[in-house]
Amino acid sequence: QPDLVERLISVDISPAITTPVSEFSAYISAMKSVKIPDGLSRSAARQMADDQLRSVVQHPQVRQFLLTNLVEVEGRCVWRVNLEAISHHLSDIMNFPVFHKSYPGPALFLGGSNSPYISSQDYPEIQRLFPKADVQYIEGAGHIVHQDKFEEFITAVVKFLALP
């Protein structure tokens, strides 16, 4: 229902299959293998999980983001997200659904220059589905654009939203 959307912003993702460029499968496997003894404080448990994830999840910002999903339940640290379901359905999650109708409104595809999730190979499909799309990259940002380059991210979003 494109008439319900005034304008659209897609942050570091495009209408393409992203499974081949994703580290998420390795991240999920690493999260599933984290072992934390019962009774540890939340901060000690997070530090232990951080240490165990470090070899697979090398970017500290990504590890910190993943660790926001580590919660305490009845004295045990567990992952808030259903890692089994995510790992079994990752290809479905990472695939963009097939649409035949385009979105006619203004669209901004805002990516990080250090991220593989919006590539020039995606431009034809972006233009097909979003004919008024503008593709921009924030220099020096990775996949978590708003965390890596917060000021630049906010500036780009506000500028796009302010367009007539």
Side-chain angles (χ1 to χ4, degrees):
Q1 296 180 329
D3 53 316
L4 297 178
V5 179
E6 184 178 329
R7 48 184 76 237
L8 179 139
I9 300 173
S10 174
V11 180
D12 208 51
I13 198 72
S14 68
I17 297 171
T18 54
T19 305
V21 297
S22 171
E23 310 91 352
F24 294 152
S25 181
Y27 293 173
I28 291 165
S29 293
M31 291 168 74
K32 287 166 68 173
S33 70
V34 166
K35 302 290 184 239
I36 300 171
D38 295 350
L40 281 183
S41 69
R42 186 168 162 208
S43 62
R46 284 179 68 120
Q47 184 59 54
M48 184 176 274
D50 187 39
D51 292 342
Q52 292 177 44
L53 291 173
R54 186 171 283 118
S55 65
V56 176
V57 186
Q58 291 154 1
H59 298 290
Q61 301 95 325
V62 175
R63 277 196 318 276
Q64 291 307 307
F65 173 75
L66 295 176
L67 289 169
T68 64
N69 290 289
L70 190 64
V71 295
E72 184 184 331
V73 175
E74 299 175 4
R76 295 181 52 229
C77 284
V78 297
W79 295 106
R80 174 187 355 229
V81 295
N82 186 337
L83 294 174
E84 284 302 318
I86 292 171
S87 64
H88 289 312
H89 299 283
L90 189 60
S91 62
D92 296 324
I93 294 167
M94 300 302 289
N95 288 332
F96 194 84
V98 175
F99 289 105
H100 301 289
K101 191 173 180 184
S102 66
Y103 169 71
L108 172 63
F109 283 77
L110 186 58
S113 67
N114 297 338
S115 172
Y117 290 101
I118 302 175
S119 78
S120 58
Q121 295 174 355
D122 302 329
Y123 293 174
E125 187 67 356
I126 290 171
Q127 287 302 306
R128 182 183 77 78
L129 291 171
F130 306 92
K132 293 183 182 175
D134 182 21
V135 179
Q136 297 177 19
Y137 296 92
I138 295 181
E139 191 62 38
H143 180 59
I144 308 175
V145 183
H146 63 282
Q147 182 179 1
D148 293 348
K149 296 288 184 170
F150 180 76
E151 300 278 329
E152 294 90 336
F153 173 80
I154 293 297
T155 299
V157 167
V158 168
K159 184 178 174 183
F160 175 72
L161 292 177
L163 292 173

